[in-house]
Structure formats: C-alpha cells, structure tokens
Amino acid sequence: MKFYPLMIIAMLCFNPKTYAQADLKSEISGHLQDEKSQPFPFVNVLLLKGSDSTLVKGVVSDQEGHYQFDAVEQGQYLVQASMVGYNKQYSETFRLKGKSLQLPILKLSPSSESLQEVNIVAKKPFIEQEIDRTIVNVANSIVSAGATALEILERAPGVTVDQQNEQLKLRGKEGVIVQIDGKQTYLSQQELIALLRNTPSDNIEKIELITNPSAKYDAAGNSGIINIKMKKNQNYGTNGNINLGIAYAKYPRASATATINHRAGKISSYLSLSTFYNQGFNNNDIYRKIPYEDQVTIFDQRTERKSESKYHTVRAGLDYSITDKTTVGVLVSGFHNDWGNPFGETNTRILNQDLSLQRTFKTEVYNGSKKNNLTANVNFKHQFDDKGKELTMDVDYVIYDGANNSNLDTRYFLPDGQQDGSADLVRSDMPSTIQIGVAKLDYTQPLWKGKLETGLKASYVKSDNNMIFEVKLDDWQLDPKRSNQFLYTENINAAYLNFNGNLTKKLKYQLGIRGEHTHSVGNSVTLDQVKDRNYLNFFPSAFLSQQLDSNNVLNLSFSRRIDRPNYQSLNPFEYYLDPYTFSRGNPNLKPQYTNSFQLIHVYKSFLNTTLAYSRIKDLIADELPHQIASENKTYVSPDNLDTQDNISLTVSMPIPVKKWWSIQTNFTGMYNHYNSYYLEETLEIKQLSWNMYANNQFSLPKDWSIELSGWYNSRSFYGLYQAKPMGMVNAGIQKKILNKKATVRFNVNDIFWTNKFNGKVAYQDLDMTVKSQWPSRQFRLSLSYNFGNQNVKAARDRKTGSDDMQKRAGGN
C-alpha cells in the first residue's frame, strides 16, 4: 500500500498563503470582572459584527479574566460576554484599524434570579431518535453504571447480542461494523465480543446506531454501523472525572477509570486511564443425536468454565489550532487484555439409541489469551476562507499483538465408572499479529446551492496467525494435520463522490457513489493453499427527505454494501472444546453483498417509524453446524448461503407520563427469509420475530432518581439455530452528593436471570439442542466524582477527520 499519493494531494490542496494572511490580521483583547471587581474566569465571550451582530468568533476567558481574539480582519465589531446566572454584557461598537486593540474592562452583574434559584432539570434521554441514526446516551443511565459495553448493547433498540455464538446483529441482520470513536477495531467477532465484554460503560458517552450509511462511509457493514463514542470533555480549563465500581454475580468484578481534560488557548488535550478486573463463568449443555448406519449415538454434554480477565486501557489526544481555521491533532490509544479460564471441565455421557450408557469421558480444559493494542493517529483539518469549504486528512497505524493457548486433558470411563486406560492430551499455541495502515483524505465545498463531498482512502492489513498443535504420546509431538500458519494480506483503495442539495424548499436529496478495489491473499503456509482475490465494486447510495408539513418528515434511502470475511473465519485451523466438538475456519468464504432500502417517517420529532428491506447475496453465516457421523464428531464452520431477505419495522417513541416520569419505548419487528442450496439440499427458513425495549426514568426530590428498564427478544433464528425468547429486567437508584459533584449509583441487572440462550438445530442429520448461561444477573455499586471547572459551556466543536475513518469490515 502507498500513502504517498494521499499525502501529496493533501499538501497540494493546503494553501500556505493562509499563514501569510494571518500575519496581516489583528488581535483584540480585554478583561472581565464580576460585581466585586474581581477577575472573572471561564466566561463565554463572543466577537460580533457591528453591522448586523452576526457571530465572528468565540472564546472563553482564562483564570485571570483575560480574553483575546486572534487573526481578526479590520472592520467594525462589538463584544458580548455571558455566564449562567449573570446578565449579558456588551461593549460599545468599535472599529479595528491597527495590529492590536485593548478594550475597556467589562463588568458582569448577577441576574435578578440568582444561580441558586435556577433549577435545570433537562437532560438527554437514554435513547434519542434522529433521522439517520439512533443514539443511546449511556452517560445518563443509572442502570448502565458499572456495566460493560456489551451489556449496554443488549439494551440498544434493534441490537441483538448472541452470547452463545459471540455475534452481534442489528435489526435481525449480521455483518455489524463496530467502531470506537469512528475507528474500526479490525478484530474478529470473537475478539470483538471479548473487547466489548471488558470495556467499562463508565468510559462511554454514547452509542450511535447508523442503519443505512451514505457513500462517504466505507461500503462494509451489511446491517449498518455501531459507533461507540468514548467520554471526552470539550470545556475550557482543567477538569476531570473519576469512576469507581464494584459488582457481584457469583464472582466479583471491579473497575476504575480516570479522565483529565485541559483546554487553554490553542491547545486542547485529554488523558484517560482505566482498569477492569472481572471473574465470570459460562455453562453450556449440549444434547445431540448422531445417526450412522441405522444406529443413533447420543452425546449428553455439560461444560462448566470459570473465567478471569484483566483489562487496562490508555487514551490520549492533543489538538493544536495553528490558526482559527487550521487544526492538527494526535491521538494515541492502547490496551492490554489478559484472559483465561483457570477452571474448565466438560463431562459427557455417550448413550446408545435405547439410552443405555456406552461410556463417559471428562475433559479438563484451559484456555488463555493475551492481546496488546497500539493505535496512533495524526489528523489535519483546514477550513478555507469560503464558507463550508474544508479539507481533512488522517493517517493511522494500528497493531495488535497477542497469543491464544489451550490445554485439553480427556480421560475415558467405562459404564461402571472405571477408567478404561485411554486418554487424549493435546495442547495448542497460536501467536498472532495484525498490522494496519490507513490514509484518508476528505474534501467538502459548497456547489450549485448544495454541498459536494469527495475523498480518497487507502488501507493495508497484514495478519499472521501460527497455530501450533501438539499431542502427547510418549512426549509432546507436533500434529501437522491440525497445525497451520495462516498469512493474510488485504489492500483496499477507495474513492467516493457525494452531493446533497435542495430540489425545493421542502425536498432535500443526496446522491453518492463509492468505488472500492480490493486485493486480498490468504496463504495457508502449512497446507500450501493460497486464495488470491482481486475485485472492483461500485456502491451507489441515494437519499430523499420531504418536509410534508410542520409536523411530518418523510425520508427514503437506498444503499449497496459489502462484507468481507474476517481473518479468523478464513483461517482453516481447528479450535477444540473436546475431542468430539470443535470449530473450523473456511478459506473459501466469499464476500457478501447487500442492497438496502429504508423509509423513515418522523412526526413532531417525537414519533419515529422506520420500514426497511434488504436482500443479501452470498450471506456469510458464521457458525453453521456440521457432522462427521462416522467419527461421532460435530463442528461449526462459517459458510456462504445463497440469499437472505430481511424486512423490519422499527417504532421509537418517548412518552412523557408526568413531569417527574418519562418512558422511552422502542419496538422492532423483523421477517427473515433464508433461501439456499446447502449440504446438497434446499434450505429454506422463514422467521417472524420481534424485540422491544422500555426505559422508565423517575426524578425524585433531593437529587434522587430511579430507573427501571427491560428488553425482550422473541423466538428467532441464528443461522440454523432456532433460539427461544430471551429478555431481562433492570433497576437502579442514584443520589447526587457533594454539591452535585459526585454521584452514587446502585443497580441490579437482569433481576430474574432470564437472559439465557436456549436453542435447537434440526436439519438433515443434525439434531441438537444447546443451552447456555453466563453471569448476566449482577449487583453493582459505583461512585462518580467530577473535579475542576465543570460549569463553563462547551467550546467550539472541533471534530477531526479521524472521526469518520476506518469505516470498513475488511479486517473484521
């Protein structure tokens, strides 16, 4: 991959005259005082045009009450100063002529209604519905305190978390792209689930669900994008937050996070640290019947595993405003995850068709995983003199380094309980490295009474997984049939063009086209198998928005998208639960393509109704069960199914019952139709399912509040698995203390412990039921404390180009 063309284009687009012009401009400064003639810090100060009072610039006074406007063109202006609880103060209109101007002192006086009498009760609801996305405000939820990112996603409308098969679905469809602060994680589904399971919710500000992205976004993601936005304070001054939490769900859990922010002058910086310790468990019951040569063998299996994980993260960022229109920034983040199960045991009874016992076996298993990550980003943003004309650029380097290992010790027993002398001892170790480079350039400018967006992107991914599988005979020996080094490289070069405007005052439109060229090579070194793919695709998108009247808005959209197989799915290595149960990759997986249509109706910005239809070709089904009947073995493997048709209806509505009681409700109904020729037989599955979420918030006197929420998923299909209904009820209470600088929360998650997986498979010779449970019922206590200046208003939003980068699934 080459970054050089993007860098050259960025340098050519950047105009060095900007700096020369800045030198010819002037500065305006002044001081603010309160009613006692003391310096007044952290006051919002606006520079307004003298002719029509339109906004030119905005700053915040420093701790000495001093403010300054840089690079101001000569002309006529006035200054406005404002602070909550004080009357607005205006300067006299003045004319700027020289290189600098010192204004007279401005004094602010308290308003007739003192600050203590102002009761601000408005806050964002837990779920907000916008035209193009659904927003889950995690920071405002009581029952979310002390939870994990994965547990929050379980409550998000339209999101299904399959804990048994470690998958995410959005509106009943797989292929979800998960981002953190707009950046792709580049992990397999299993690794992604582990990351979300170990990410404390105290670090999260909100979650965005984008179901039909435009051409500006990567074409990856058949069901849409889930963007997890971490907390990052944008206020001037220095402030921060500390969160401490403990939980119990048969085993303990503890978390601690600390964030500090500093904004002064041209520099904005933040640092966030977190640590998370968790003990958990996962119990599985599998009952399967295997027919072979007029005989049926039954496996009755119980697996119990205790897990322990330690997760540490660091995030740091720095933005520097070279001028008021040019900003450069650096973002660095990383994590260390150490996971293992100190106890794991599978007890299996092998039965004859008449349920008489053949023999039993017990497998003691240890699985462990360590993973380190480092992500570095340099971003650049420049706003030209023309209004709306903007250039952004990002360059990223990401590396994941880790290893997975396991040990299995299986002993066999006769029906009378005596050991028959046979044993299987195997172990495996798989070090892995993923290196990613991304360069992205975006340009926006007004054109023909509309806005033109265009950009280029290049990404290169290199993955190296080396599975070393050994068996114990007299000593440990390499098993070449189950060992394999898998090398994978992927280069995607993309360009897009997007234009939006107005056909009439009430009819808006947006048209886009994105082209992506992909070259991927999967090399199973040990097996001497190479899969080389080289293809070019175009992905159109179209949006229409009609303002029907003052209360009703109608939006219609279409997009075409692609999902590429993830690294681990392409790797043909085998992962064992016991000698008869394992998973296997599939190097022959093809990308899947999705055409999506979406119709949205918004009534009074209150009631949001979405009707959507999509057709997926070459659907990637992650864990399809297979059997080797002659050996009594069952395994799961990803494979392509021909088509999936999905129709969904989503209704979202907040209900203000009382001034102190509000309800947010979301309902999604889904119809899925799978049609494929699979295992030499026609496979057709039709399933109508639905899920709903309801959140009650109660505001009580003396800074107390209560939250009661719950969700329910009806019977549904996960590939060939038909799952029974699942759901949970949560409750929490909180109290603000220490002059509202601190908040204490206590909540109970999944009060009745109903969030359990119970499914079955019945297809050809596959006859299997699966039950699974995990520590979803939890008791959590948390303390959050804010320090520093928390009262100033947010500064001007300065988003960097990295917010929209890495929106792809090629490495997912």
Side-chain angles (χ1 to χ4, degrees):
M1 183 202 62
K2 297 181 179 179
F3 294 106
Y4 304 112
L6 292 180
M7 293 183 175
I8 292 172
I9 293 172
M11 289 186 287
L12 290 175
C13 291
F14 177 68
N15 186 358
K17 292 182 179 180
T18 304
Y19 299 104
Q21 292 173 357
D23 292 337
L24 298 177
K25 296 180 181 180
S26 307
E27 65 179 35
I28 301 171
S29 60
H31 285 82
L32 301 173
Q33 293 182 354
D34 59 17
E35 71 279 11
K36 298 179 181 179
S37 298
Q38 298 296 319
F40 207 153
F42 311 124
V43 176
N44 294 279
V45 187
L46 304 180
L47 181 64
L48 310 176
K49 286 187 177 180
S51 57
D52 55 7
S53 297
T54 57
L55 177 64
V56 179
K57 292 186 179 183
V59 296
V60 174
S61 62
D62 61 20
Q63 294 188 3
E64 302 300 324
H66 177 264
Y67 65 89
Q68 181 173 310
F69 299 101
D70 297 318
V72 182
E73 295 181 353
Q74 296 187 4
Q76 194 171 20
Y77 301 97
L78 74 156
V79 167
Q80 173 196 300
S82 62
M83 168 63 75
V84 175
Y86 286 78
N87 295 313
K88 290 182 180 178
Q89 184 66 38
Y90 294 88
S91 71
E92 297 290 338
T93 302
F94 58 88
R95 179 169 295 278
L96 180 61
K97 294 182 179 180
K99 290 186 178 181
S100 63
L101 177 63
Q102 177 76 28
L103 297 178
I105 293 175
L106 284 178
K107 286 189 176 183
L108 280 74
S109 59
S111 61
S112 57
E113 183 181 31
S114 65
L115 184 61
Q116 287 76 17
E117 295 170 336
V118 178
N119 184 22
I120 302 174
V121 296
K123 70 174 183 178
K124 293 182 179 179
F126 180 59
I127 295 177
E128 287 184 289
Q129 190 70 52
E130 296 187 355
I131 291 178
D132 63 338
R133 68 193 62 194
T134 301
I135 299 175
V136 182
N137 291 302
V138 179
N140 292 331
S141 173
I142 303 171
V143 299
S144 297
T148 67
L150 191 65
E151 291 164 348
I152 299 302
L153 284 175
E154 287 182 317
R155 303 168 193 162
V159 177
T160 303
V161 178
D162 178 7
Q163 299 253 17
Q164 166 66 22
N165 299 300
E166 297 188 322
Q167 294 179 359
L168 291 176
K169 287 187 177 183
L170 185 57
R171 295 189 311 184
K173 296 189 296 180
E174 300 174 9
V176 183
I177 298 303
V178 176
Q179 302 170 358
I180 296 178
D181 285 337
K183 298 174 179 60
Q184 175 61 30
T185 56
Y186 292 94
L187 298 174
S188 69
Q189 279 287 315
Q190 291 76 17
E191 292 170 327
L192 177 61
I193 293 294
L195 174 65
L196 297 175
R197 189 178 284 128
N198 290 303
T199 300
S201 64
D202 297 329
N203 291 0
I204 301 173
E205 179 67 28
K206 61 183 178 181
I207 297 174
E208 297 178 333
L209 310 177
I210 308 171
T211 53
N212 212 13
S214 69
K216 184 176 181 179
Y217 295 82
D218 278 3
N222 123 74
S223 62
I225 295 171
I226 297 176
N227 184 26
I228 301 174
K229 288 200 169 186
M230 311 303 283
K231 289 181 179 178
K232 181 182 175 184
N233 199 301
Q234 296 293 325
N235 291 338
Y236 276 105
T238 301
N239 53 35
N241 176 270
I242 296 175
N243 282 279
L244 302 174
I246 56 174
Y248 182 79
K250 188 176 180 179
Y251 300 109
R253 169 192 290 183
S255 63
T257 64
T259 302
I260 187 168
N261 311 274
H262 180 72
R263 291 176 64 89
K266 297 183 177 182
I267 295 178
S268 170
S269 61
Y270 72 94
L271 173 66
S272 178
L273 302 169
S274 68
T275 183
F276 182 75
Y277 174 79
N278 180 37
Q279 289 187 14
F281 67 90
N282 184 259
N283 298 332
N284 291 280
D285 293 283
I286 303 176
Y287 188 88
R288 59 184 186 265
K289 299 179 180 180
I290 304 176
Y292 182 69
E293 295 183 347
D294 299 326
Q295 297 292 325
V296 176
T297 303
I298 299 172
F299 279 71
D300 185 5
Q301 178 177 314
R302 169 75 174 181
T303 300
E304 298 181 358
R305 286 176 290 183
K306 177 185 176 183
S307 62
E308 183 176 310
S309 60
K310 301 173 184 177
Y311 184 70
H312 313 285
T313 65
V314 59
R315 300 171 57 82
L318 176 70
D319 284 340
Y320 177 72
S321 300
I322 302 174
T323 70
D324 60 320
K325 295 184 178 180
T326 305
T327 302
V328 295
V330 178
L331 302 173
V332 178
S333 64
F335 67 78
H336 170 74
N337 188 17
D338 188 349
W339 174 89
N341 59 304
F343 170 80
E345 185 175 277
T346 299
N347 288 281
T348 304
R349 296 190 307 150
I350 304 178
L351 309 173
N352 295 309
Q353 189 169 353
D354 60 1
L355 300 183
S356 61
L357 184 65
Q358 283 188 21
R359 63 173 178 168
T360 65
F361 68 86
K362 180 170 71 173
T363 299
E364 294 181 354
V365 57
Y366 168 79
N367 294 312
S369 173
K370 290 185 178 181
K371 187 171 290 293
N372 300 304
N373 162 256
L374 175 65
T375 300
N377 164 259
V378 177
N379 51 81
F380 170 88
K381 178 179 178 180
H382 176 69
Q383 295 174 312
F384 295 85
D385 291 335
D386 297 336
K387 186 176 180 181
K389 189 175 179 182
E390 182 177 280
L391 174 74
T392 61
M393 180 180 176
D394 292 87
V395 177
D396 270 48
Y397 176 73
V398 184
I399 184 169
Y400 292 92
D401 180 68
N404 298 309
N405 57 82
S406 66
N407 291 273
L408 282 77
D409 184 343
T410 303
R411 309 285 173 164
Y412 296 89
F413 302 87
L414 299 172
D416 61 4
Q418 297 296 316
Q419 188 170 343
D420 67 1
S422 60
D424 287 325
L425 282 79
V426 299
R427 69 183 185 188
S428 66
D429 185 34
M430 189 178 72
S432 63
T433 303
I434 303 174
Q435 298 182 70
I436 303 160
V438 181
K440 184 173 181 285
L441 181 72
D442 295 290
Y443 176 74
T444 303
Q445 81 163 42
L447 183 67
W448 300 328
K449 296 183 180 181
K451 183 172 70 172
L452 174 69
E453 297 175 303
T454 186
L456 301 171
K457 182 177 179 181
S459 66
Y460 182 80
V461 181
K462 181 179 180 181
S463 173
D464 184 353
N465 295 295
N466 188 18
M467 168 60 79
I468 303 169
F469 200 100
E470 296 177 307
V471 297
K472 183 70 176 291
L473 300 175
D474 294 330
D475 54 9
W476 288 104
Q477 296 182 13
L478 181 71
D479 186 346
K481 294 182 179 180
R482 292 185 282 186
S483 298
N484 180 42
Q485 183 179 14
F486 183 71
L487 303 176
Y488 181 79
T489 60
E490 182 181 86
N491 178 208
I492 300 178
N493 296 302
Y496 75 90
L497 191 66
N498 211 50
F499 184 80
N500 62 71
N502 288 47
L503 293 175
T504 66
K505 289 184 178 180
K506 294 186 177 181
L507 180 60
K508 301 177 182 179
Y509 70 95
Q510 178 175 293
L511 300 174
I513 184 71
R514 184 181 185 91
E516 292 189 353
H517 174 263
T518 305
H519 182 205
S520 65
V521 179
N523 181 8
S524 297
V525 179
T526 309
L527 304 178
D528 194 24
Q529 296 177 354
V530 177
K531 210 69 174 175
D532 191 326
R533 288 194 172 99
N534 199 328
Y535 50 95
L536 173 66
N537 296 119
F538 292 95
F539 303 95
S541 62
F543 298 78
L544 285 175
S545 178
Q546 174 69 53
Q547 182 81 38
L548 301 178
D549 53 39
S550 59
N551 294 328
N552 295 275
V553 178
L554 200 63
N555 298 310
L556 178 66
S557 63
F558 163 78
S559 69
R560 183 172 186 258
R561 307 188 66 74
I562 184 176
D563 284 280
R564 303 171 181 88
N566 67 59
Y567 308 139
Q568 301 299 343
S569 294
L570 293 168
N571 191 344
F573 81 87
E574 297 176 350
Y575 176 85
Y576 280 77
L577 179 65
D578 61 57
Y580 295 92
T581 315
F582 60 95
S583 64
R584 174 188 292 170
N586 181 2
N588 297 313
L589 279 176
K590 298 180 292 185
Q592 68 178 26
Y593 296 89
T594 304
N595 292 313
S596 296
F597 299 85
Q598 187 168 271
L599 180 65
I600 302 176
H601 175 253
V602 182
Y603 175 71
K604 286 187 175 181
S605 299
F606 167 77
L607 176 63
N608 187 297
T609 306
T610 302
L611 178 64
Y613 167 77
S614 66
R615 162 161 277 222
I616 306 172
K617 182 181 179 182
D618 295 326
L619 169 72
I620 298 175
D622 284 330
E623 294 197 5
L624 292 176
H626 302 257
Q627 275 185 174
I628 306 175
S630 60
E631 301 177 19
N632 287 330
K633 292 182 178 180
T634 303
Y635 69 94
V636 295
S637 178
D639 210 337
N640 291 105
L641 300 180
D642 292 342
T643 62
Q644 178 195 1
D645 293 284
N646 174 275
I647 301 174
S648 66
L649 176 67
T650 302
V651 179
S652 175
M653 179 175 60
I655 304 173
V657 183
K658 297 287 184 179
K659 185 177 180 180
W660 48 270
W661 179 15
S662 64
I663 305 176
Q664 173 70 49
T665 59
N666 290 273
F667 171 87
T668 301
M670 297 161 288
Y671 174 77
N672 281 298
H673 181 199
Y674 299 87
N675 197 341
S676 182
Y677 189 75
Y678 184 67
L679 298 181
E680 300 180 352
E681 185 177 305
T682 299
L683 168 67
E684 186 173 18
I685 299 175
K686 298 179 180 180
Q687 177 69 47
L688 180 65
S689 57
W690 57 276
N691 65 52
M692 66 173 299
Y693 176 85
N695 178 279
N696 295 264
Q697 295 189 353
F698 305 90
S699 298
L700 305 179
K702 297 183 179 180
D703 298 322
W704 285 90
S705 56
I706 295 175
E707 185 173 314
L708 180 67
S709 67
W711 59 265
Y712 178 86
N713 291 335
S714 73
R715 187 184 304 271
S716 59
F717 266 92
Y718 298 89
L720 295 182
Y721 295 91
Q722 186 182 45
K724 291 185 177 180
M726 301 167 60
M728 67 164 62
V729 176
N730 318 294
I733 186 170
Q734 79 171 24
K735 174 74 167 70
K736 293 185 179 296
I737 59 176
L738 301 179
N739 294 324
K740 299 185 180 181
K741 289 185 177 181
T743 304
V744 178
R745 297 183 177 97
F746 175 75
N747 57 71
V748 183
N749 194 66
D750 195 5
I751 298 173
F752 305 106
W753 204 0
T754 51
N755 186 21
K756 303 176 183 180
F757 181 85
N758 193 333
K760 62 181 292 186
V761 177
Y763 180 71
Q764 291 190 359
D765 64 342
L766 294 166
D767 187 351
M768 177 170 56
T769 60
V770 179
K771 297 180 181 179
S772 182
Q773 61 180 199
W774 51 90
S776 59
R777 182 167 62 183
Q778 300 170 14
F779 301 87
R780 300 193 292 248
L781 178 66
S782 67
L783 170 67
S784 175
Y785 178 72
N786 299 320
F787 61 89
N789 174 35
Q790 300 291 330
N791 295 320
V792 297
K793 293 182 179 179
R796 176 172 59 90
D797 188 16
R798 298 176 181 175
K799 294 182 180 179
T800 64
S802 62
D803 290 337
D804 295 325
M805 70 176 304
Q806 301 184 31
K807 292 176 179 175
R808 57 182 292 275
N812 195 22

